Amino acid sequence: MSILRELKRRSVLRMALLYIVAAWLIMQVTEVLITLAHLPHWIGPTIIWLLVIGFPISLIFSWFYELTPEGISLEKDVDPEQAITYVTGRRLDFIVISMLIAAVILFAYDKWWIGGPPEKSIAVLPFTNMSDDPGQEYFSDGISEELLNLLAKIPELTVISRSSAFSFKDKSLTIPEIARRLNVAHVIEGSVRKAGNQVRITAQLIEASTDKHLWSETYDRELKNIFAVQDEISVAIVGALKEHLGLQLEVAPRVVAAANTEAHEAYLRGRFLVVQRTRTTIDGAVREFEKAISLDPDYAIAHAELATAILLQRIHGPLTGAEAIAKAAPHAEQAMALDPTLAEAHAATGFLLANQANFEEALTHYRQAIQINPNNSIVYSRMADILGENLGHYKETFAMKEMALRLNPLSILALGDYVGALIERNRLAEADRELEKLAVIAPAQYEHWRAFRTSLGGKWANQTLGDLDRLRIDPESKRFRNGLTWVFASIGLEKEVFAISDVPPPFVLTLLGKPEDAVTVAQARFAGTPTSLGARRDLGMSLAGIGNYARARPFLEEMWQSSGGRITRFGWFYVDTAAALIAIRRDAGDAAEVGELLASMRDNVRRLHEAGIIMNSTWFSPDYDEGLAAYLAGEHERGLALIAKASEDGFFIMQRAAYLQALYDDPGFAPIWASQEARQARERKRFLDIVCTDNPYAAVWQPAEGTCEKFAGEGGN
C-alpha cells in the first residue's frame, strides 16, 4: 500500500492517465492530417510506436523527478518543505480533465454529431439471381431496380440510387455495414429464381441498426403475372414502412406494365446494359430497347429509355450530336405522348432539350420528373449542369449537387462534382474528406481531383502530374489524353501538346501562341457541324483572337442572344466571350451597346460571390472576372489590382488574344505577365525534373523527342 501512496504522491498515476488521453488525441489528429495532407501512411504506425515507447519513459520521469518553483529537480534532492507535489497534482488533474472533455467531444462528434441516417431512408440491394442460368442476372437486377423506382416515387422517403446500392453486389459485407456506407436506416434485399414460366421472388425489409427483419415474404407466380407480383411486393413493403416509419402515403406506387413479358424482358436487358456506360453496352442497350418497342409499340418507358440511350451514344458511341438528337427526338416525343405522368419521359425530354441547348425548357421537364420521382439522382446532376454552367444559378447548383450525392453517395460523377464545388468555395477540409471516398471507388477520378486540389496557388505541374497518374490508371481513355493538352499548354510544353493530340482544340492553340492555327481548326469543325453552337462559338472566338472582328461578330452576337444576355462561367457565353464582343462593338463604333455586356459581367461576379465561389484556380478566377470587367469599364487601377491578385493565386492569364490587346499594352500589366512567365518556367522545370530523370509514366507516356535534351541544355537536373 505504501508503494500505491507513493505513486499517487508523485503523480505517476495521474501521468499515466494524462499520457493515455493525450496519446489518443494525438492519434486522432494524426489520422486527420494523414488524410488531409496526403502524408505517407507509415507515419501513423511510427507515431504509435513512439507513443508506446514514450509511455514507460514518462512514468519513470514522473517517479524520479519533481516540479519545484525553481524548475525540474530529482525527487531525492528536493527538500520536503519546498515540495509542491500537491500543487503539481492539482495542475495535472486540471489538464487530465480538460483533455478528457476534449476526447469526449471528439468521440461524440465522430459518432453522433456528423449525423446518422435519416429515419425515413432506404436502399434496395440487387436481388440475388438464384436461377440455374447466370444469364438471368439481368432479370433479378431488373426486379430490384423496378422495386427501387416504385419506392423512389414516395415523397417522404429517401431512396438511394441504383448505382450506389448495386455497387455492393457480390461483396461480402454485412447489412449494417452497407447501410452505414450508404447512410440509410433500412435495407431491402431478396432473391429471384426464374425457371421457364415460373418465378419465385423473396423480399425482406431490414432495420439496419439492429439487422432485424421487419417484414419478409416469398411469392411464387407465373411469369405472365410479373407486374402483379411487383405491385404486391411494393404494397407490402409500403405497408411495413407505414407501420414502422409513419409514412402518410395512401396508395402504393404502381409498376409501369408492358403489353407482354417479352417486351418487358427486353427492356430489363436494356436497363442492365445502359447503366454500365461503355460504348459496347450502350449500343447493346439501344438494340434491346428497340426490340422492346417492336414487341410493344406503346411501351412508354421503353421509348423514354431508348431516347436517353441514343443521346448517350453521342458520348460513348458513334453518333455526332446532331445525329443523336435527330434519332432520339421521336422516342422522347412518343414517350411523352403515351404517358405524360412518367418521370422517365420527362427526364428523357429534358435530356434531349439540354442537348439542343433549350435549357429553360429542359429544366421545366427535369423539375416535373423530380416532382414525380423525388429520388432521381441523375436528374439532379443534370439540373446542376444546366443551372451552373449554362444559366449561372450557382447557389441553386450547389444544392442540386448535394442532393445528387445524398441520393447516390457512391456515384463517381456526383462525388467528383461535389469535390470540385467544395474546392471552389474554399471548403478544403470537407473536400479532402470527400476525396478519400473517391480514392476507393474511382482511383482515376481521384487522381484528377487530387491534382486539381494540389494545383491551387499556381502549382500547375501538380495538375499535369496528377492527370498523367489518371492516364496511367486508364491508358485507353481518349478523354484523359485530350485533357492533357490543356495542362501541357499551361506549362509551355508545345511539343507535348501535339504529341498527345493531332488536332488540339482552338483554345489550346491560342494558349500556345498559334491563333492562326486556332482559326484553321475552328473553321474545319464549323464546316463539319455548322449548326453546332459550340463550333460556331469557337470559330467566332478564334476569329476575334486574330482581330478579324467583321467575321467574328455574327457568331458572337448569336451567342449573346442564345445566352439570353447572361454570362456564366463555362456556358455558351463566358467572360472572355463578353470581352471579345465588347472589343468588336467598340471597334465598329457601337460603344453605346457595351453597357449591357459590362452589366452582365458584373452580375455574373455577384452571383458567384453570393454562392460562396471565391477560390482562384488555374482555369477559373472570380477575381480575374471582376478585374477584367472593371478594366474594360475604364477602372484600370482597380482592374489591374484584381487581375494581379488572380495571377498571384495561380490563375493562368492568356496573352494571345487581339481583343485584349489594350490590357496587354498597359504598363501596369507588364509585371503581372513577367510573374506568370516566371511561374510557368518554374512549374515546367519542376515537371521535367521528374519525367526527364526517372519517368514514372513511361508505360503510358513519354516526353516528346528533344524536350529533355532542351531542358538539360537550359540547366535542368
Side-chain angles (χ1 to χ4, degrees):
M1 292 298 294
S2 59
I3 293 178
L4 181 60
R5 283 197 300 271
E6 193 65 14
L7 288 172
K8 290 181 178 179
R9 187 184 73 80
R10 301 190 186 199
S11 297
V12 175
L13 298 180
R14 289 187 178 94
M15 177 60 73
L17 180 59
L18 174 63
Y19 192 96
I20 291 170
V21 175
W24 185 83
L25 288 171
I26 289 170
M27 288 309 304
Q28 302 309 304
V29 173
T30 299
E31 182 181 3
V32 172
L33 289 176
I34 289 174
T35 298
L36 296 184
H38 304 288
L39 300 176
H41 288 287
W42 56 261
I43 290 178
T46 301
I47 290 178
I48 290 176
W49 280 110
L50 290 175
L51 291 171
V52 170
I53 294 170
F55 182 66
I57 295 174
S58 68
L59 299 184
I60 292 170
F61 185 89
S62 65
W63 175 268
F64 285 104
Y65 288 87
E66 185 174 331
L67 182 65
T68 70
E70 289 76 29
I72 297 175
S73 303
L74 281 168
E75 195 276 339
K76 66 183 181 64
D77 296 335
V78 178
D79 188 332
E81 295 183 0
Q82 295 181 333
I84 58 171
T85 53
Y86 174 75
V87 175
T88 302
R90 292 293 300 272
R91 289 175 178 171
L92 286 174
D93 287 343
F94 176 77
I95 294 172
V96 169
I97 291 171
S98 299
M99 296 189 76
L100 280 171
I101 291 173
V104 169
I105 291 173
L106 183 60
F107 178 81
Y109 176 79
D110 182 55
K111 295 300 180 184
W112 296 296
W113 292 0
I114 290 177
E119 183 186 9
K120 298 178 182 180
S121 58
I122 197 165
V124 181
L125 301 184
F127 282 24
T128 304
N129 174 30
M130 302 294 290
S131 307
D132 294 334
D133 180 9
Q136 293 297 319
E137 186 176 1
Y138 78 89
F139 188 81
S140 55
D141 278 7
I143 294 296
S144 42
E145 183 179 0
E146 290 191 320
L147 180 56
L148 183 156
N149 289 336
L150 289 171
L151 295 175
K153 295 175 182 177
I154 301 175
E156 292 181 68
L157 195 61
T158 297
V159 182
I160 297 302
S161 75
R162 179 196 193 281
S163 60
S164 286
F166 279 42
S167 66
F168 296 99
K169 191 173 186 177
D170 300 325
K171 294 183 179 178
S172 55
L173 294 174
T174 64
I175 292 297
E177 175 62 17
I178 292 173
R180 186 189 67 80
R181 296 192 186 187
L182 294 176
N183 196 37
V184 293
H186 301 86
V187 169
I188 292 174
E189 66 172 355
S191 63
V192 177
R193 182 185 298 276
K194 180 170 173 276
N197 196 38
Q198 298 295 315
V199 62
R200 166 174 285 187
I201 300 176
T202 299
Q204 301 166 341
L205 174 63
I206 303 168
E207 185 179 62
S209 60
T210 61
D211 207 10
K212 175 184 175 183
H213 286 61
L214 302 179
W215 168 86
S216 179
E217 192 62 72
T218 298
Y219 300 85
D220 289 298
R221 300 288 189 276
E222 289 187 5
L223 192 57
K224 65 181 181 180
N225 294 322
I226 190 63
F227 304 112
V229 74
Q230 288 181 73
D231 279 337
E232 282 186 68
I233 296 172
S234 69
V235 168
I237 291 176
V238 168
L241 290 172
K242 286 173 66 176
E243 177 184 347
H244 291 278
L245 303 181
L247 295 180
Q248 300 302 310
L249 191 69
E250 295 298 327
V251 180
R254 304 299 299 271
V255 68
V256 180
N260 61 63
T261 55
E262 285 186 70
H264 179 62
E265 289 198 46
Y267 162 77
L268 292 182
R269 286 193 295 269
R271 284 296 305 158
F272 181 78
L273 292 167
V274 78
V275 296
Q276 298 177 47
R277 290 295 197 273
T278 68
R279 176 168 180 168
T280 300
T281 59
I282 294 293
D283 291 347
V286 167
R287 290 192 294 271
E288 291 295 341
F289 292 137
E290 287 175 338
K291 180 178 180 181
I293 291 169
S294 70
L295 293 167
D296 181 1
D298 294 332
Y299 199 4
I301 198 169
H303 280 286
E305 293 294 349
L306 177 57
T308 298
I310 290 170
L311 290 169
L312 289 173
Q313 286 186 311
R314 176 182 186 177
I315 303 169
H316 301 279
L319 301 182
T320 65
E323 290 170 340
I325 289 169
K327 287 187 65 176
H331 296 289
E333 293 168 3
Q334 183 70 355
M336 285 295 299
L338 289 168
D339 189 354
T341 67
L342 185 65
E344 289 82 358
H346 286 282
T349 303
F351 196 28
L352 174 68
L353 290 166
N355 276 270
Q356 294 171 319
N358 295 328
F359 302 116
E360 294 286 0
E361 291 183 61
L363 275 180
T364 299
H365 282 280
Y366 281 153
R367 288 186 172 119
Q368 187 64 32
I370 290 297
Q371 186 174 347
I372 299 168
N373 180 353
N375 288 284
N376 194 322
S377 67
I378 294 177
V379 171
Y380 279 112
S381 291
R382 289 176 181 164
M383 287 176 69
D385 287 340
I386 290 177
L387 288 166
E389 310 313 332
N390 302 112
L391 299 179
H393 299 308
Y394 306 121
K395 187 183 293 186
E396 194 176 353
T397 296
F398 188 71
M400 293 295 108
K401 290 181 179 180
E402 282 187 308
M403 180 60 75
L405 187 61
R406 190 178 308 141
L407 296 173
N408 199 355
L410 300 181
S411 164
I412 297 170
L413 174 63
L415 193 51
D417 283 349
Y418 188 60
V419 166
L422 291 172
I423 291 172
E424 65 190 15
R425 286 163 173 77
N426 202 28
R427 293 165 58 174
L428 301 181
E430 295 172 75
D432 288 328
R433 286 197 293 272
E434 299 300 326
L435 262 177
E436 292 306 312
K437 300 175 186 176
L438 203 57
V440 176
I441 64 174
Q445 291 302 318
Y446 165 76
E447 293 297 345
H448 171 73
W449 287 108
R450 181 188 62 82
F452 175 61
R453 165 72 173 87
T454 59
S455 70
L456 298 176
K459 298 181 178 68
W460 299 334
N462 287 1
Q463 186 72 62
T464 314
L465 294 166
D467 281 353
L468 282 171
D469 281 323
R470 177 170 70 159
L471 185 66
R472 184 164 53 181
I473 294 170
D474 187 0
E476 302 302 319
S477 173
K478 184 178 179 181
R479 182 163 59 91
F480 291 175
R481 289 187 175 274
N482 289 339
L484 280 163
T485 61
W486 293 50
V487 294
F488 283 144
S490 71
I491 57 176
L493 291 175
E494 179 180 322
K495 284 187 176 181
E496 275 57 37
V497 171
F498 284 97
I500 207 161
S501 175
D502 294 334
V503 186
F507 176 69
V508 172
L509 292 168
T510 302
L511 289 180
L512 292 173
K514 297 179 176 294
E516 297 287 351
D517 291 347
V519 172
T520 300
V521 171
Q523 285 177 325
R525 292 186 176 182
F526 172 72
T529 54
T531 60
S532 165
L533 286 178
R536 298 173 75 81
R537 183 206 44 208
D538 287 349
L539 180 55
M541 288 299 292
S542 298
L543 290 168
I546 64 171
N548 192 338
Y549 293 163
R551 288 189 60 201
R553 183 166 189 172
F555 293 109
L556 299 189
E557 292 285 5
E558 178 189 5
M559 293 302 108
W560 177 239
Q561 295 303 316
S562 297
S563 73
R566 171 169 290 207
I567 291 171
T568 58
R569 290 192 300 166
F570 306 117
W572 297 114
F573 205 87
Y574 49 92
V575 167
D576 269 20
T577 320
L581 190 52
I582 286 172
I584 290 170
R585 288 181 176 181
R586 283 176 170 165
D587 183 69
D590 299 326
E593 299 180 18
V594 166
E596 61 176 354
L597 290 162
L598 291 172
S600 187
M601 292 175 77
R602 293 193 184 99
D603 184 62
N604 182 55
V605 172
R606 176 189 61 78
R607 285 180 277 113
L608 288 168
H609 288 164
E610 286 180 351
I613 299 175
I614 58 174
M615 180 61 72
N616 296 316
S617 62
T618 310
W619 303 113
F620 171 71
S621 165
D623 287 330
Y624 175 79
D625 288 3
E626 185 175 2
L628 185 58
Y631 191 90
L632 295 176
E635 303 172 40
H636 292 177
E637 186 174 345
R638 177 171 175 268
L640 284 169
L642 285 164
I643 291 171
K645 181 180 182 302
S647 180
E648 289 167 9
D649 289 345
F651 177 67
F652 187 94
I653 301 173
M654 181 174 62
Q655 198 197 14
R656 311 294 183 190
Y659 53 83
L660 290 178
Q661 196 59 50
L663 171 66
Y664 304 149
D665 291 341
D666 192 307
F669 184 75
I672 299 174
W673 183 249
S675 175
Q676 176 164 302
E677 284 190 314
R679 169 176 281 143
Q680 187 181 57
R682 287 196 305 271
E683 292 302 304
R684 181 168 59 247
K685 179 180 183 302
R686 195 158 67 87
F687 174 71
L688 293 177
D689 271 339
I690 295 172
V691 300
C692 289
T693 51
D694 184 16
N695 181 15
Y697 312 104
V700 296
W701 175 86
Q702 294 281 0
E705 185 177 351
T707 293
C708 291
E709 290 76 7
K710 180 182 178 183
F711 171 61
E714 293 173 350
N717 294 336

